[in-house]
Amino acid sequence: MSVFFRGFVSRQGFRLSLEASPFSRGFVCRRGFCLSQGFSPSAKGSNLLSHTSLRLHISPFTRMFSSSNYNQESWKLGRLNHVAIAVPDLKKASEFYKNILGAKEVSEAVPQPEHGVYTVFVNLDDTKIELLHPYGDKSPIQNFLDKNKNGGIHHVCIEVDDVKTAIKDITSKGIRVLDPEPKIGAHGNPVVFLHPKDCCGVLVELEEVKKS
């Protein structure tokens, strides 16, 4: 016999599986939630069996995708702001993007003492490349370059409209931040970094950018 219908509905953090099948009445229970009801079609000539079991299974989603934890209405993810590349030679890297690749806008090097880096921004049509070079003796970029002698991609930065609300929401879902409070980034906006081990191996920076 064939199954007549089967469907899934998601609500309040649970998965609902509704199934009608041509079996006799039964009682099915899964993960503490169960419901079974039998019924008989009254119309003459119906080719359904006299007893069809209607079973409702409810099982929790994983925590990450539970609707009780997934509430992102109070903040929004925006566009890619920049890709940051750590470089051992800032002047050489700047000249590469300007003279070899022909980038029209390459900024001067700007020290960022609070973050322990020098930054150069290569402006593109839709986003930017941020070149990073160590500033001071305790620069986090120096640790990165010690492991990657030729440099490489350090992090990606994505815009949000409310970084503090984003932090509260993201940490409630088990994602760690490197600092509990946002700092002021190279553009003068509040920023926060998410732990790479919680972000598929990528260091992710969130930067608050208000729409004008």
Side-chain angles (χ1 to χ4, degrees):
M1 295 292 181
S2 61
V3 173
F4 300 120
F5 70 90
R6 186 183 184 95
F8 295 90
V9 181
S10 174
R11 184 173 179 84
Q12 298 297 328
F14 296 99
R15 183 177 63 140
L16 281 68
S17 173
L18 185 62
E19 177 182 301
S21 60
F23 296 103
S24 61
R25 290 175 180 167
F27 191 77
V28 181
C29 198
R30 182 182 296 175
R31 295 195 179 187
F33 297 93
C34 48
L35 177 64
S36 181
Q37 178 179 341
F39 65 92
S40 300
S42 59
K44 293 183 177 181
S46 171
N47 60 359
L48 299 179
L49 295 182
S50 61
H51 292 290
T52 300
S53 174
L54 178 65
R55 294 180 294 177
L56 179 65
H57 308 300
I58 306 177
S59 59
F61 271 174
T62 59
R63 184 171 63 88
M64 180 176 291
F65 297 106
S66 169
S67 62
S68 60
N69 290 318
Y70 188 76
N71 179 16
Q72 197 169 300
E73 296 179 358
S74 55
W75 68 279
K76 292 182 180 180
L77 193 69
R79 71 184 186 94
L80 176 68
N81 185 281
H82 65 263
V83 175
I85 302 175
V87 298
D89 189 327
L90 193 56
K91 182 179 179 181
K92 182 179 179 180
S94 298
E95 291 177 348
F96 168 77
Y97 284 96
K98 184 175 182 179
N99 300 329
I100 304 299
L101 295 186
K104 296 180 180 179
E105 296 183 37
V106 180
S107 74
E108 297 295 326
V110 178
Q112 309 285 346
E114 184 178 2
H115 298 281
V117 296
Y118 288 96
T119 60
V120 168
F121 280 95
V122 181
N123 291 318
L124 306 175
D125 287 343
D126 298 319
T127 188
K128 296 181 288 290
I129 295 173
E130 181 184 35
L131 304 178
L132 301 174
H133 186 73
Y135 175 95
D137 297 332
K138 297 182 180 180
S139 172
I141 299 301
Q142 187 59 61
N143 294 332
F144 181 89
L145 289 174
D146 288 342
K147 298 176 182 178
N148 305 273
K149 301 298 183 181
N150 295 321
I153 294 177
H154 183 261
H155 68 268
V156 296
C157 176
I158 307 174
E159 296 177 1
V160 297
D161 62 347
D162 188 333
V163 71
K164 287 189 175 181
T165 303
I167 292 172
K168 183 178 179 180
D169 181 41
I170 291 169
T171 54
S172 73
K173 298 171 183 174
I175 305 300
R176 291 169 290 176
V177 295
L178 299 190
D179 292 294
E181 293 293 329
K183 296 182 178 180
I184 300 301
H187 298 117
N189 297 325
V191 301
V192 68
F193 286 89
L194 309 183
H195 201 294
K197 290 186 177 180
D198 296 337
C199 303
C200 307
V202 177
L203 180 63
V204 176
E205 178 185 14
L206 300 181
E207 177 176 348
E208 182 176 302
V209 177
K210 298 291 187 181
K211 290 185 178 180
S212 56

